[in-house]
Amino acid sequence: MNGATMEVGAVAAMRYVKDGIMAARLVMQHTKHTMLVGEQASAFAISMGLPGPTNLSSTESLEKWIIWKANACQPNFRKNVLPADGCGPYHPKGNVKLAQNNCLMDNVAESVTLGSSHVDRHNHDTISMAVIDKMGHIAVGTSTNGATFKIPGRVGDGPIAGSSAYADDEVGACGATGDGDIMMRFLPCYQVVESMRLGMEPGLAAKDAILRIARKYPDFVGAIFAVNRYGKHAGACHGWTFQYSVRSPEMEDVEIFTVTP
C-alpha cells in the first residue's frame, strides 16, 4: 500500500508463484485494480515476468500433510459439519434452514469459544512491514502463506487493506499478524491509523484495536505494530508475547522490541 496515493495491490489464493509480495506490487504498479485472485493472479504474475509456474511444495510441507491426512485431517477449520473427525466429503450437520433450526444467535457462544484454537505462533508466517522514506512517504506490505491446514480457497487478512496493513502519509502506518480469520473482521490496522489521526499515540492506538477484538474473541491470538509519521512506534498483542524489529538511519543495527499481552 502506498500511503501517499492510497493505492493498494494485492493477490490472494495465488498458487505456483513464489514471490507473492512482488506480485502484489505488480498489481499496484501495472493495473487499475486492487486485488487479483486464484489462477488468474498466478497467470498475471507470470506474464509480468515473475518465475513460474513453480511447484511450491517442500519436503517438510509434504511430510506434514501426510501426517495430517493419516490423523483423519485433524485439526482443521471446519465446523458444524459431518464427518467431524474425518477427511470428508463434508456436508452440513443437521438442518441448515434457519426457519426450521434454532436461532442463529444460539451458535454465538460456540463460535467465540473456538477463537484461535488452530492458530498460534508456530503455524502461520505473516510478515508485515512499514517503511518511511526521507521525504516522509510511507509504504506497507504484508506477505504470508496463510494458516496451516486451511480449507482450499481460504483468503486470510494478508491481502485485505486495513486488516494486516494500512498506511497514510498524513498519519502513519500499521501492520498485523495472528489469526487473520478473526482479525480481518475488525480491520484493526485501519482502526489504528484512524485512531492516530484523531490524536491517539501509537501504543494506545494499537492496544485499543487489540482490545476491540479481544472483547468479542477472548481466546484469539494476534499482534499489531503501529508507527506514526514521525517514526514513533509501539506494539500490542493478545494470546502471545510478540516481537517486532525497527531500523532507522540513526541506528547501527536492527533493534528488537518485545511486547507482552
Side-chain angles (χ1 to χ4, degrees), residues 1 6 8-10 34-35 126-129 140-144 154-167 173-194 205-206 209-210 213 220-226 236 242:
M1 183 173 185
M6 309 307 286
V8 173
T34 291
M35 182 187 296
T126 304
I127 300 295
S128 189
M129 183 180 294
V140 292
T142 298
S143 184
T144 180
R154 179 259 190 183
V155 173
D157 67 327
I160 307 301
S163 186
S164 69
Y166 199 75
C174 167
T177 182
D179 189 337
D181 287 294
I182 290 177
M183 297 181 78
M184 68 192 298
R185 303 168 191 175
F186 295 83
L187 294 180
C189 276
Y190 177 78
Q191 180 66 54
V192 165
V193 172
E194 290 308 301
I210 285 289
I213 305 173
F220 103 98
V221 174
I224 289 173
F225 73 80
F242 171 62

Side-chain angles (χ1 to χ4, degrees), residues 6-63:
M6 309 307 286
E7 291 175 290
V8 173
V11 292
M14 185 181 71
R15 307 174 72 182
Y16 313 121
V17 177
K18 183 177 182 180
D19 199 341
I21 193 70
M22 180 58 73
R25 185 174 183 176
L26 289 170
V27 171
M28 183 175 69
Q29 291 179 327
H30 299 292
T31 82
K32 295 183 179 180
H33 299 309
T34 291
M35 182 187 296
L36 299 180
V37 302
E39 302 292 337
Q40 296 304 315
S42 302
F44 169 80
I46 294 169
S47 75
M48 297 303 293
L50 294 186
T54 304
N55 182 356
L56 302 181
S57 296
S58 65
T59 301
E60 179 184 1
S61 67
L62 287 172
E63 290 177 350

Side-chain angles (χ1 to χ4, degrees), residues 127-238:
I127 300 295
S128 189
M129 183 180 294
V131 178
I132 305 175
D133 70 13
K134 293 180 179 180
M135 302 298 293
H137 299 311
I138 305 174
V140 292
T142 298
S143 184
T144 180
N145 281 326
T148 304
F149 309 133
K150 58 184 176 288
I151 298 171
R154 179 259 190 183
V155 173
D157 67 327
I160 307 301
S163 186
S164 69
Y166 199 75
D168 187 334
D169 279 11
E170 297 177 358
V171 183
C174 167
T177 182
D179 189 337
D181 287 294
I182 290 177
M183 297 181 78
M184 68 192 298
R185 303 168 191 175
F186 295 83
L187 294 180
C189 276
Y190 177 78
Q191 180 66 54
V192 165
V193 172
E194 290 308 301
S195 292
M196 292 193 296
R197 190 189 307 276
L198 296 176
M200 197 176 288
E201 291 293 312
L204 290 177
K207 184 176 181 179
D208 175 69
I210 285 289
L211 289 177
R212 288 170 185 257
I213 305 173
R215 282 195 290 268
K216 295 288 187 179
Y217 293 91
D219 296 325
F220 103 98
V221 174
I224 289 173
F225 73 80
V227 56
N228 66 20
R229 64 192 182 102
Y230 304 109
K232 185 174 182 180
H233 59 84
C237 60
H238 188 272

